[in-house]
Amino acid sequence: MNKIFKYISSSLMVLGVLAFTACSPDDYSGANSNGIPNVTDYSDNFTISVNQETNVATFSFTGAAGVQPVWIVNGDTYSTDFTTSKYYRKAGEYTVECKIMNANGISDGSIIKSFTVDHTIMNGFAGFKVDFEHNIMKDASFSLNRFWYAPGWSQIADPGYSIGSGEITINTPVATTDQWQAQCFFNVDGIEPIKAGTNYDGSVIFTSTADHPHVTLKICSAADENNTLFYKDGIALQADEPLCVWFSDVPANQDISDLMYIFDLGGNADNSSIVIESFVIKDHAYDDGTVLPKPAEAVFEYNNPANIWLTIDNEQAYTMSYYYAPGWAQIADPELIYQGDGNYSVTLPSATWERWQAQVTMVTNGLAVKAGVDYDFSVTIESNNAVTATAKFTQSDNDNNFLPGTDGTFNIDADGSYTFQVAKAQFASDADAVKLVFDFGGNPDNTQIKISQIIFQQHRE
């Protein structure tokens, strides 16, 4: 007897009763409406267990004479097996509806049983442990700060959203085309402050109902968005495929007592939703046993003929573009000076306060790249002042088609240097020309920058 079926109409449930009677003793004399079972009499017969390693929930009904269970899973899948199971990929709170049937019919009422799946099964790194005792986000609560939702840069009504236990869902009914057109700000309450001088690990999982090429995440102070713990843009999501965004051993430069998560969903499809869950921030000194993904490795040699950028340097095969705008008011351009042997310098005389206010861009003369090809990138930057820098390698006329990993920031100490490297990364699309965007937004007055050893190559191991 087939015991698992999809709901089509009420007649299907009648078929279920007929199937039951077909299995009853031969002396069955007909249905008795007064003999329909009362489901509450069997409440304790229904049990649910969840294997938290495999995310399989097992629904069991302990034997009772003359009756059998009806499990209603997800509102539309029925089973009359005494034991059945279902796989749940995503962490969350779930329910199953339970009814009882006998030869006379199916109970009018039902019992709702709830259960919890602790973790999302990932095709890749799953993040740090949410239930770790030192996860300061474990008992956090969220509240909406504000939205800025502007398809075509024309603001419309706020998107829909819901906040659950450790989960935020954002529903965007109208498509947007550009970064920053769907900004979502959420306050975090009930956590200990972020402490300056402490290094942190963190992770969060995104799941979108539609492909999304360019989600942005920023974790910062609500009162001062320049006081940032973590920033990443260009987060590419595939439909219904959970993705973990994580960081490790990241220093907090200032205290943050009013933590805020900012999500930008610019580039979203019509009628799409994103679920954001499994929030973790912890002191790096506390090990939760998580094994981090091993980063790709590459061989970097500036003077090797494999370095495509070597020709760019030698032939000065680029044009310069600047955006230098303290307080977003553009002033005279600085000047990037080539000093030979792959060395450049630029001076920023005036302080800026936010990212992207001090952009120095090298637009190549037709350096083309291909999608599906693994590339490596490396650059060394020195500064006389402490600065936060970006070195974004992107298509000349499309900032959303960039080499993954080059969209973030890195810190350079005063009178220090930093070698920033990305290995085995691919552009999403072909590009006829690329540009290298340096940004030093947030720089102090009279910041002197040296840039050297730029390497761009097809992946070398």
Side-chain angles (χ1 to χ4, degrees):
M1 185 165 56
N2 184 12
K3 294 182 180 179
I4 300 178
F5 45 91
K6 288 282 186 178
Y7 177 77
I8 300 175
S9 68
S10 59
S11 62
L12 190 57
M13 295 307 296
V14 175
L15 289 175
V17 176
L18 293 177
F20 185 91
T21 60
C23 300
S24 300
D26 292 337
D27 60 356
Y28 171 68
S29 58
N32 177 2
S33 61
N34 294 323
I36 292 176
N38 184 347
V39 69
T40 57
D41 295 338
Y42 300 92
S43 177
D44 293 338
N45 297 74
F46 293 96
T47 61
I48 301 173
S49 61
V50 180
N51 184 324
Q52 299 294 356
E53 295 297 321
T54 63
N55 283 23
V56 173
T58 300
F59 312 124
S60 302
F61 181 80
T62 54
V67 297
Q68 68 186 90
V70 179
W71 305 95
I72 306 173
V73 183
N74 290 348
D76 65 353
T77 302
Y78 291 74
S79 172
T80 56
D81 285 326
F82 282 82
T83 299
T84 189
S85 61
K86 180 173 174 59
Y87 168 71
Y88 292 84
R89 182 174 183 184
K90 290 184 78 271
E93 298 289 331
Y94 295 92
T95 60
V96 62
E97 185 178 359
C98 315
K99 290 179 176 286
I100 285 290
M101 64 186 292
N102 64 10
N104 298 300
I106 299 175
S107 60
D108 290 330
S110 60
I111 294 171
I112 305 297
K113 294 280 188 177
S114 62
F115 57 97
T116 300
V117 175
D118 291 341
H119 304 288
T120 297
I121 300 292
M122 304 288 293
N123 290 327
F125 183 57
F128 296 98
K129 295 179 181 178
V130 175
D131 56 358
F132 185 52
E133 61 178 324
H134 296 291
N135 174 19
I136 67 172
M137 298 295 294
K138 183 172 63 172
D139 298 315
S141 60
F142 293 93
S143 60
L144 178 66
N145 182 295
R146 67 189 186 278
F147 287 112
W148 195 80
Y149 187 33
W153 304 110
S154 179
Q155 191 169 2
I156 62 173
D158 290 346
Y161 77 99
S162 62
I163 298 175
S165 177
E167 178 180 291
I168 299 171
T169 301
I170 304 170
N171 307 307
T172 45
V174 181
T176 57
T177 55
D178 292 284
Q179 187 182 23
W180 308 123
Q181 288 186 352
Q183 300 177 45
C184 316
F185 303 75
F186 288 88
N187 297 324
V188 183
D189 298 306
I191 67 169
E192 65 182 60
I194 300 295
K195 300 176 183 177
T198 300
N199 287 22
Y200 287 92
D201 304 328
S203 57
V204 63
I205 293 175
F206 292 83
T207 309
S208 175
T209 58
D211 288 350
H212 196 309
H214 201 278
V215 172
T216 299
L217 167 64
K218 185 175 184 178
I219 306 173
C220 62
S221 163
D224 178 8
E225 294 175 18
N226 293 320
N227 182 6
T228 300
L229 176 65
F230 178 72
Y231 176 92
K232 184 174 179 61
D233 62 10
I235 301 166
L237 305 179
Q238 297 179 7
D240 300 316
E241 183 66 40
L243 177 73
C244 179
V245 177
W246 63 278
F247 57 92
S248 180
D249 206 14
V250 171
N253 296 320
Q254 302 178 53
D255 292 344
I256 303 177
S257 59
D258 56 346
L259 197 69
M260 180 168 66
Y261 277 73
I262 302 175
F263 311 104
D264 177 65
L265 311 182
N268 64 280
D270 279 325
N271 298 312
S272 57
S273 298
I274 285 185
V275 177
I276 308 158
E277 61 184 330
S278 301
F279 293 85
V280 175
I281 298 176
K282 70 176 186 70
D283 187 330
H284 180 71
Y286 296 116
D287 184 4
D288 69 355
T290 297
V291 178
L292 297 178
K294 184 179 179 180
E297 297 181 352
V299 174
F300 292 101
E301 296 173 307
Y302 175 73
N303 287 309
N304 192 290
N307 180 14
I308 302 168
W309 197 269
L310 189 61
T311 300
I312 303 294
D313 280 347
N314 290 339
E315 299 180 3
Q316 299 290 274
Y318 58 84
T319 57
M320 291 305 303
S321 173
Y322 302 93
Y323 180 78
Y324 188 31
W328 303 111
Q330 195 165 0
I331 61 174
D333 292 339
E335 182 182 3
L336 184 73
I337 300 172
Y338 184 56
Q339 298 175 330
D341 296 325
N343 297 300
Y344 297 83
S345 64
V346 62
T347 297
L348 305 172
S350 299
T352 59
W353 296 276
E354 296 187 51
R355 194 183 191 207
W356 305 123
Q357 288 186 355
Q359 299 178 43
V360 177
T361 301
M362 306 173 74
V363 183
T364 67
N365 298 341
L367 173 57
V369 296
K370 294 288 186 181
V373 176
D374 291 330
Y375 291 104
D376 307 323
F377 171 72
S378 177
V379 63
T380 297
I381 302 178
E382 303 174 51
S383 176
N384 66 321
N385 292 322
V387 295
T388 298
T390 297
K392 184 174 182 179
F393 212 103
T394 183
Q395 182 175 332
S396 293
D397 56 356
N398 180 5
D399 288 341
N400 291 331
N401 183 27
F402 59 88
L403 193 67
T406 66
D407 54 311
T409 62
F410 49 92
N411 295 323
I412 305 171
D413 294 332
D415 296 321
S417 67
Y418 188 93
T419 298
F420 173 70
Q421 296 180 334
V422 171
K424 205 173 183 180
Q426 298 184 2
F427 286 88
S429 306
D430 293 352
D432 293 333
V434 291
K435 62 185 177 183
L436 180 51
V437 182
F438 296 102
D439 178 65
F440 307 101
N443 65 280
D445 285 332
N446 298 314
T447 294
Q448 298 172 11
I449 300 291
K450 294 181 180 180
I451 300 169
S452 62
Q453 300 286 301
I454 302 174
I455 301 170
F456 177 65
Q457 63 189 18
Q458 291 194 22
H459 180 60
R460 296 179 63 219
E461 294 183 348

